[in-house]
Amino acid sequence: SFDTSSVNTMGYMFYNCLDLVEIIGVEQFDIESLNSSSSLSNFATNVNLNTNRYDSLLVAWDAQNVRSSMSIRFGTGTKYTSGSAAETARNNLITGDLWTIIDGGAV
């Protein structure tokens, strides 16, 4: 149970946690208070979330009032479901909020 409602930056929070495949509750992280476009830099670089968790994260974060021009990187094993609400959310973050999202692509 992370309370992230007052967090200003999450950079390097799970950076290079190579064996981490579950961050229970990550999809519930409140990212509206992040205060710069670099606040998610290396947040989960090289972390390979399972698809269900990642799908939930994308949908939940897209529903928030997020800062534009954020950049976030996940491991190549972090993949979203093609044709799903998660893919739509990911596209909204990229095109509407000008995010850069590096992940493993669609499954």
Side-chain angles (χ1 to χ4, degrees), residues 43-104:
F43 169 75
T45 299
N46 297 322
V47 172
N48 294 306
L49 297 176
N50 73 51
T51 299
N52 289 335
R53 179 86 52 206
Y54 188 47
D55 283 354
S56 295
L57 177 149
L58 291 168
V59 170
W61 285 9
D62 180 47
Q64 294 183 42
N65 183 23
V66 297
R67 177 172 291 279
S68 66
S69 302
M70 299 288 269
S71 179
I72 190 165
R73 176 185 301 265
F74 296 92
T76 57
T78 298
K79 300 181 182 215
Y80 59 90
T81 303
S82 178
S84 69
E87 182 174 32
T88 300
R90 183 180 183 276
N91 289 338
N92 288 342
L93 290 166
I94 292 169
T95 59
D97 296 306
L98 305 176
W99 279 32
T100 299
I101 300 174
I102 299 171
D103 55 25

Side-chain angles (χ1 to χ4, degrees), residues 2 12-17 20 23 26 29 42-45 47:
F2 288 95
Y12 293 89
M13 192 168 186
F14 300 105
Y15 177 75
N16 270 344
C17 294
L20 189 60
I23 305 172
V26 71
F29 280 17
N42 292 306
F43 169 75
T45 299
V47 172

Side-chain angles (χ1 to χ4, degrees), residues 14-32:
F14 300 105
Y15 177 75
N16 270 344
C17 294
L18 302 175
D19 294 327
L20 189 60
V21 295
E22 278 291 341
I23 305 172
I24 296 170
V26 71
E27 68 280 6
Q28 297 169 1
F29 280 17
D30 181 340
I31 61 170
E32 291 187 9

